[in-house]
Amino acid sequence: MKKEVFDVVIIGAGPSGAVAGAMLAQLNRKVLIIEKEYFPRFSIGESLLPQCMAFLSDAGLVDAVHSGAEKFAFQFKNGAAFSKQGQETFFDFTQKFSEGPGTTYQVKRADFDNLLAQGAQDKGVEIRYGHQVLAVDVDDELPSVTVKSESGEHYTVEGKFLLDASGFGRVLPRLLDLELPSSFPVRHSYFAHFQDNICDANFDRDKILITVHPEHQDIWYWLIPFSDGTASVGVVGEPEKFDQTHTPEQVLLQFIEQAPNLKHLLADAKVINSVQTIRGYSADVTRLHGDNYALLGNAGEFLDPVFSSGVTIALKSASLIVPLIEDKLNGKKIDLAKDYAAPLKQGVDCFRTFVSAWYDGRFQDVIFFSEQEPHVRGMISSILAGYAWDLDNPYVAQSERRFNVLHQLCKSE
Ligand code: FAD
């Protein structure tokens, strides 16, 4: 049988794969996405950052997200609120330093991912659901993937370029031996959707609420409201903090009881799906590309969920790689180390500074400091809104150094 050849083959139809596919289709490229699941399917990662909206706009997908918002109970989001031992603070993303959208949504990922995948299909991308990539060969000029179809047959397709957007499936890191342990410790997360029944009038559904555990500053919770009276609630911490003899539901509910603000807000909440667990989610790779392939989103590095940066990084990776693939397909010489891996890593490293500072408590000192300059807060707000590639922001350009100076000023309180 004649082998099928596409301009680009993408493994995975999550946000990075769908957005890369849509952008390539806009350039009239012939794109195949192999997706092992059937959509809509559950996925974690429900609080978007405003920077995402710019990438969705470039991919021609933002209108579909706005028009689907009401139907799919996407919750308008304009910021992030933080709570620690009775102290409360929040960042309004519309009061940020960087140019660009200041609002976004909290989304049920099953519907959001399905919407993006359908948008990509509408632009001409072929998606084969229920097909799983089993093997790859990137040694020839044209990379190829071996796929198990939904009926169990194996077949091979070639692309002029291969993108791994397989997220936690980590197809190329596994098959090409690219795995690198994350520099962050192993952490576990327990989470579920609740009928939240929150009746406190002071609760702001337009913001994600991040709560620090009253005794352990490295354990934290998310409360992500949707617009239909449901919410996603999760807790994150190192494994030894969770009693493994308890069921995931017992663990999550016990931890909610330990945080007074959540205990109050969720007093009448009811779990509406089974409590799920993700163990050891942080991951890294030795390299993000070869000559004829690149890793997008979570298939590359995943830091941590605390600042909801995962989907933003995934979409940024798609938006960086597509023009480079286009140049390559047009016969131009491209430098993926300089123009893909380095710029992507610059923003990831900025988030890394903030994630590290979150877990050792320095970020918490900074955000709860009472006399913060509004323009400094605007710069921090920009990063929390996902603008981690805006080098005009000093907290992006020199994140570690600037953050440490700021922390010295704030910790004296
Ligand atoms: P994915 O969304 O994982 O998509 C990968 C796709 O590839 C899947 O559909 C999968 O079925 C498919 N696939 C896998 N293997 C194969 C194969 N062999 N063949 C074919 N298809 C395959 N991010 C945020 O932005 N906001 C948040 O609030 C947030 N919260 C999080 C909370 C937790 C506890 C965790 C662990 C992560 C969180 N994230 C969050 C991160 C977010 O989940 C990811 O960053 C995001 O989903 C990455 O998108 P992606 O497109 O790279 O991969």
Side-chain angles (χ1 to χ4, degrees):
M1 200 172 83
K2 197 167 164 276
K3 216 180 258 179
E4 294 174 287
V5 182
F6 292 81
D7 286 325
V8 182
V9 173
I10 303 179
I11 311 170
S16 59
V19 165
M23 292 180 79
L24 287 159
Q26 289 185 147
L27 297 165
N28 296 319
R29 292 297 170 186
K30 191 179 168 202
V31 181
L32 172 68
I33 301 185
I34 306 287
E35 168 55 57
K36 71 172 181 179
E37 305 282 347
Y38 293 93
F39 282 19
R41 53 91 182 95
F42 179 85
S43 182
I44 194 65
E46 296 153 322
S47 193
L48 304 182
L49 301 182
Q51 167 78 88
C52 286
M53 305 310 272
F55 301 136
L56 292 173
S57 178
D58 291 346
L61 296 170
V62 80
D63 290 343
V65 173
H66 288 311
S67 11
E70 196 178 338
K71 177 174 174 200
F72 296 117
F74 297 164
Q75 168 67 49
F76 173 82
K77 173 182 172 186
N78 63 13
F82 295 88
S83 173
K84 181 181 182 180
Q85 294 169 334
Q87 303 173 88
E88 312 279 337
T89 189
F90 70 87
F91 286 82
D92 178 344
F93 293 157
T94 65
Q95 309 289 307
K96 62 178 167 40
F97 169 86
S98 304
E99 296 288 314
T103 64
T104 184
Y105 295 103
Q106 327 222 78
V107 296
K108 297 184 186 183
R109 283 285 301 277
D111 296 320
F112 176 73
D113 290 13
N114 197 28
L115 206 79
L116 299 190
Q118 281 175 358
Q121 282 174 303
D122 290 346
K123 292 178 191 300
V125 174
E126 179 180 348
I127 304 184
R128 294 185 191 163
Y129 292 103
H131 290 226
Q132 182 177 4
V133 172
L134 299 179
V136 299
D137 182 352
V138 293
D139 292 337
D140 292 334
E141 196 190 336
L142 296 190
S144 63
V145 297
T146 304
V147 181
K148 185 168 98 179
S149 74
E150 45 185 349
S151 59
E153 286 155 23
H154 291 197
Y155 66 95
T156 302
V157 286
E158 283 182 343
K160 295 172 190 154
F161 202 88
L162 174 64
L163 288 175
D164 183 5
S166 65
F168 293 115
R170 305 189 63 72
V171 173
L172 290 194
R174 281 189 292 106
L175 297 176
L176 301 182
D177 201 14
L178 307 177
E179 290 285 10
L180 184 70
S182 169
S183 53
F184 289 117
V186 170
R187 293 194 170 89
H188 289 188
S189 177
Y190 294 77
F191 51 86
H193 284 181
F194 288 70
Q195 189 67 47
D196 63 63
N197 297 319
I198 297 174
C199 50
D200 185 330
N202 292 323
F203 179 65
D204 182 356
R205 293 192 83 87
D206 295 349
K207 295 182 176 64
I208 184 174
L209 172 62
I210 303 288
T211 299
V212 182
H213 188 277
E215 284 161 34
H216 307 283
Q217 69 173 15
D218 61 341
I219 297 182
W220 62 275
Y221 309 75
W222 74 75
L223 169 51
I224 299 176
F226 304 116
S227 68
D228 58 357
T230 65
S232 169
V233 182
V235 61
V236 173
E238 293 187 28
E240 60 275 13
K241 301 282 180 18
F242 301 115
D243 187 337
Q244 310 291 335
T245 64
H246 289 176
T247 65
E249 181 157 339
Q250 285 169 331
V251 171
L252 180 58
L253 296 181
Q254 277 164 3
F255 268 84
I256 291 172
E257 278 288 303
Q258 291 167 18
N261 68 326
L262 295 178
K263 185 179 174 185
H264 158 71
L265 286 171
L266 299 171
D268 297 320
K270 301 272 174 293
V271 176
I272 52 175
N273 59 7
S274 60
V275 175
Q276 298 194 46
T277 316
I278 291 192
R279 295 159 201 269
Y281 48 72
S282 298
D284 201 357
V285 281
T286 50
R287 62 175 193 273
L288 279 171
H289 64 87
D291 288 344
N292 52 13
Y293 70 87
L295 278 52
L296 301 183
N298 269 31
E301 182 170 9
F302 180 66
L303 294 174
D304 191 89
V306 67
F307 297 123
S308 308
S309 58
V311 173
T312 301
I313 293 171
L315 301 196
K316 176 70 182 181
S317 67
S319 79
L320 279 171
I321 200 70
V322 166
L324 295 166
I325 296 176
E326 182 60 12
D327 280 352
K328 185 177 167 72
L329 296 181
N330 285 329
K332 293 191 192 147
K333 200 170 155 39
I334 59 168
D335 185 340
L336 289 170
K338 177 170 153 286
D339 296 323
Y340 177 63
L344 184 62
K345 191 169 178 309
Q346 172 268 300
V348 173
D349 284 345
C350 173
F351 281 123
R352 189 189 322 278
T353 300
F354 281 74
V355 170
S356 300
W358 170 264
Y359 283 104
D360 65 25
R362 286 175 299 143
F363 186 79
Q364 299 169 21
D365 292 341
V366 165
I367 60 171
F368 290 110
F369 184 64
S370 55
E371 291 161 35
Q372 215 160 67
E373 300 272 347
H375 77 280
V376 170
R377 229 173 146 77
M379 290 172 181
I380 304 290
S381 190
S382 265
I383 295 167
L384 296 181
Y387 292 88
W389 291 269
D390 177 7
L391 291 169
D392 289 338
N393 182 347
Y395 289 88
V396 171
Q398 300 173 301
S399 43
E400 188 69 40
R401 195 178 74 74
R402 291 297 291 239
F403 187 81
N404 285 334
V405 172
L406 179 62
H407 180 243
Q408 290 302 318
L409 295 172
C410 298
K411 76 172 184 189
S412 52
E413 194 175 56

